[in-house]
Structures are given as C-alpha cells and as structure tokens.
Amino acid sequence: AMQRAWLDTGLPTAPRSVDVVVHSTGALVVRYWMTHFYTPAKNPIHRFLMLAPANFGSPLAHKGRSFVGRVVKGFKSAKRFQTGSHILKGLELASPFSCQLALQDRFGDETWYGPGRILGTVIVGTDGYTGISAAANDAGSDGTVRVSTANLDPLCLTMDFCTDPLHPTFEITPPKGRTAFFRVPGLNHSTVALKGRDIKASSGLRDLIKAAITVEDGTFDAFCEQSDAHSRKVREEQAGKAYTQAYQNTVVHLSDSFGADVEDYFIELFAKRAHNARASDVDKSLTAHLQEDVLCSVHAYGDNPSFRSLYFNVTELRKLLIDKGHNLYVAVTAMPDLGESGVVGYRTLGYNDIGSIKLNPKETAAMFGPDRTVLVSLKLRREQDPSVFQFRKDD
C-alpha cells in the first residue's frame, strides 16, 4: 500500500532523493518497504530520521489491543484504536519479523546505512508516561518502546552447542554500515514527536531533528560520534535511577542440529567461585544477583517460543561482574531430555552432558552493551537412541 501511494503521489524514486521522518511503528513500515521494493544502491531514501522507533518491538504489543488503545489514544479519548493482529505480532518482542528485517538491512550482503547510502538517525526518550497511561511504563523505556529496541545498531551473535557440546563456541558479528543514536532525557514516546510540548521546552530536541535531516555524507561519521558521546553522557547522569539505567534487549532463537525450533529451554547465566573452578563450583550468591538484578525479564514470542527476548540491566551487570573482573558463564538446558525420553532429545541436564561458554570481562563487555539489541542464534545437538531406526539383516 505504501508503494502504491508513493507512486500515485508522484514522489521521487531516484536514489537518495527523499528525506523521511517516522515515528514509532513507521520505522518498521519504511524499512520493510525499502528492502522489499529497492536495493541499497537504488533506494530513494537519503536521510532517515526515526523518532522512538519500534525497530525491535514493544513490550505493549503482547498486552492486547484494549490496553494499547488506552495508552495510545488516551483514557478518555473517543477515537478508536485500530490495528490488525499481524501488526501486533510483528511488534511483539522477539518477533521473527523484526529479526529477519534486521538480518536483511543490517547484516545482509550489501550495506544500507552510512555515508553514500541512508543517513539514519534514531532519537528516543527515557521518560515514561504519567497518569493512567503510566500503566504501560517499563524500566528502560519511553512508555511504549524500550530504548534498547529503538536503537538500529544491533549485534549478531552465534552460539554453537552443537558441533562439540562439551566445548561450545561463540562468534560476534557487527552490523554493516552505521546509524546515529541519541538517548534524550525528559521525553516520552509522545513528546519525542513534539506532541504537547511548547517550542521553548523542545528546543534541544528540535536542534537534534534539524541536525539529523541536514547532515551530509562528509560529516555523518562525526555526527555518529557526537551521538555516541551524547548518549554516553546521558547514561552516566542517569545511572543512579533504576528506571533510566542502561538495558540490552537480547533476542535468542534456539534451534537444533536438524534445523527444528526448540521451544522448551532455559538460558543459564552463572558465575563461579574461582576462574578455573569446576563446572559444579557455582558462586551461588553472585549467580542469584545475576538472575534477580541483571536478568530483568524474559518474553517468549507467542506464536513460536523458540524466539525469546531476554532483558538485561547492563548497568548492574557492569557493577557485579565487569568492573570486578569476574567471568560470566552461559549454558542452556532444553527439553525433551534424551535421558528421560530414552528415544530422542537433548543432553543438557547433567554437568557432564554439555559445557558452558566462558566469557572474560572484556568478552562480557563486548557481548552486553547498553541501549541496543543483540540477535543470538543458538544451536543445540539433537540425539537419537539407536533403537529409533535399525536395519535388520535377513538370514
């Protein structure tokens, strides 16, 4: 529909001929449109400003249309809230749609963002709603989208528990190209779009918007550096406030060696009492803090629980592990267990069944960053008892 309207209106289709400004879900619409109808070299978008974009979903999406409608339209609004169920599924945390879209425009064969391509900028607030709408507030969010799910500079991570289960490996892949990202205090999901604020109160935001829609290729890298410095300063100022601390949205997809989705699993984060401790020598106190203070929530995607969003408080993770030089260990437990079924399943319950990935403080810092999304592809070995399939020799 957007392509039809674009062409019917006579908007330019020449490469880099149009600047686009979107709010919230508009980022997903435009990104899907451009990747579906154009190539990076022939894309008509020059500058792309995203205000509070739902690039990796919203925690509101799975709460239902009645709840979202009250928040979006207001408690006493006579306007109806209308959206299709497929849109809410695409907006749900850990949706395969948002993951696949990012794999296409951030990790595909060609670069979509950066000098010579799309000059993309994300601006997102860190304050929640007030009044009745405060029911939607989620720590690390602007009331509707999380700061971490707005940022369009994700990381791609593969964890291989399949090739050698006792010695799993991991690999980090950065995105192609670059986008600017500004975390701005004092703004929520509505006011970041200049709704309900006077000119004076919005002057700083207006300056950022103006800079984003006038930046040139030659100054874009410096503009990104400016955005990084700005966001880092804001994070430091807000580090003592739980609601506005830095979080990471981590989307995990678990599949097995035959490509089948694994829907019943548990990601384990733990610490040990010594750097070279045995697998069973878990530091119970520190591990409890990881589970209670660092891992804030887990959301399994409704239509396919093999996709999950794990929400980490990176501020607390740094305090507990990175700043103190502790290692972090990552393991996975999945069902059905081969030992219980006796026929087919996974070997993950015993300490000698599967290993864990050990991350030193430097690796932990690389894997857990503030205000971003990490897409994790995790592979697990599926095994069968010999009795599942046998050939009998005919004498």
Side-chain angles (χ1 to χ4, degrees), residues 19-23 47-52 119-124 180 182 184 187-188 190-195 197-199 201-216 220 223 226 230:
D19 296 333
V20 177
V21 181
V22 298
H23 178 230
R47 301 176 184 89
F48 187 15
L49 172 58
M50 294 163 271
L51 301 173
L119 303 181
T121 302
V122 169
I123 300 176
V124 62
F182 289 90
V184 184
L187 299 172
N188 61 35
S190 177
T191 55
V192 75
L194 296 170
K195 298 178 181 179
R197 296 179 65 90
D198 59 36
I199 296 176
S202 302
S203 59
L205 173 61
R206 290 173 181 270
D207 289 341
L208 287 180
I209 290 174
K210 181 179 179 180
I213 58 177
T214 57
V215 67
E216 301 289 348
F220 187 70
F223 182 64
Q226 175 192 342
H230 173 95

Side-chain angles (χ1 to χ4, degrees), residues 12-31:
T13 57
R16 308 186 83 205
S17 58
V18 178
D19 296 333
V20 177
V21 181
V22 298
H23 178 230
S24 195
T25 312
L28 289 171
V29 175
V30 171
R31 289 174 55 214

